[in-house]
Amino acid sequence: MEVKQILFEFCPIAPSLPSNPIAKQLSSLKFPPLSSSSSSYPFIQSQNVTVPGGAFHPISIPHNKVRSSYQRNIWCSSSLNSIAEPNEGHEVRSQVTVRRKKLAVFVSGGGSNFRSIHAASKEGSLHGDVVVLVTNKSGCGGAEYARNNGIPVILFPKAKDESDGLSPSDLVDALRRFEVDFVLLAGYLKLIPVELIRAYERSIINIHPSLLPAFGGKGFYGMNVHKAVIASGARFSGATIHFVDEHYDTGRILAQRVVPVLANDTAEELAARVLREEHQLYVEAVEALCEDRVVLRKDGVPLIQNKENPNEFR
């Protein structure tokens, strides 16, 4: 990656400056092979897709007024008219220290994906911390797990039999007080309010137990999804991570993982196979967000940069 491009990504510059592409050469998008659970299907292979490397730019988070600034180990030009080339007396270090991100997780049930993310954070593979849990069911397993691990629990939305639920505007204010960077939906069954989507644009992701856009939308959750997949005769299903917009399951897709649908599968068997992939896929996607490795293609499609080679995407 050229120095100009590094400086463009991490230094504050005037909006009028022309943008620089991340790479001038063609980049290869490498989709990883399936996990071992699908290794018996040799006709499913990894794919290499060549796309214009200059067609990417780093994802921007518009609610940065409520976030702490990045810790930067990089020299930045003070000029607003150009991005200066480093020269004698100016040092550009290759290491950039990114601060740990603050995460809010939304659940409605047992929260197994939430637990996987929390475990990865505690183990150190995930450069972020779950600072608050939001639920519409204060007695659910995910909420109990959060309380047992010292994570504050917020009830949303207000319920008739609950006196301490928050309104949409109160929820946004609460997340800002926690200085939340990203909102992670992990089995949360309520539609996200527009106030939250606008406050955290491109900062809310969801996991869905099918290969969107198939088997998504209102009413497609939990076992309903897996029953519909089996009834359709589909040979493959899987998990999808996508950004959240104002509708059910229609936001841009960030990552997917494929599993086979076996001839005699029950909905429960398919659900268990998909859930195993969900736990790994969600952690990987959140790791990329916390490490600032999510970039947008020119057409708005989000891609994940390879950790070892930033010119490779998946």
Side-chain angles (χ1 to χ4, degrees), residues 97-281:
T97 303
V98 179
R99 66 172 177 82
R100 290 182 71 85
K101 302 300 191 296
K102 295 182 179 182
L103 311 172
V105 182
F106 285 45
V107 304
S108 293
S112 64
N113 275 304
F114 159 46
R115 298 176 194 223
S116 295
I117 291 166
H118 181 253
S121 172
K122 291 301 181 184
E123 292 165 1
S125 66
L126 194 155
H127 198 66
D129 301 294
V130 179
V131 297
V132 62
L133 181 108
V134 178
T135 183
N136 61 312
K137 297 180 179 180
S138 59
C140 71
E144 289 299 319
Y145 176 87
R147 294 188 189 100
N148 292 337
N149 285 273
I151 299 171
V153 176
I154 291 176
L155 182 64
F156 176 84
K158 284 184 177 180
K160 292 180 180 179
D161 56 345
E162 300 275 5
S163 59
D164 54 352
L166 300 184
S167 67
S169 59
D170 289 338
L171 176 63
V172 172
D173 290 341
L175 296 184
R176 283 176 171 165
R177 286 195 295 272
F178 281 103
E179 297 183 325
V180 166
D181 295 288
F182 296 106
V183 173
L184 316 176
L185 309 186
Y188 185 71
L189 302 181
K190 295 291 185 180
L191 187 64
I192 301 301
V194 65
E195 293 91 340
L196 183 61
I197 292 171
R198 290 173 180 171
Y200 283 85
E201 185 183 3
R202 292 178 184 160
S203 303
I204 307 174
I205 61 173
N206 178 50
I207 189 159
H208 184 78
S210 76
L211 297 176
L212 292 176
F215 306 103
K218 189 173 183 179
F220 280 93
Y221 62 88
M223 286 297 167
N224 293 349
V225 174
H226 305 299
K227 290 177 181 178
V229 170
I230 291 173
S232 74
R235 270 43 173 188
F236 299 96
S237 188
T240 300
I241 307 286
H242 67 95
F243 281 93
V244 174
D245 58 19
E246 297 177 14
H247 308 284
Y248 285 109
D249 305 327
T250 58
R252 296 280 195 172
I253 292 171
L254 176 62
Q256 290 184 313
R257 190 70 51 81
V258 176
V259 303
V261 180
L262 304 183
N264 297 314
D265 262 343
T266 64
E268 291 75 16
E269 289 168 338
L270 178 57
R273 191 177 306 118
V274 171
L275 187 60
R276 286 193 294 270
E277 299 299 334
E278 285 185 32
H279 291 164
Q280 181 180 358
L281 183 66

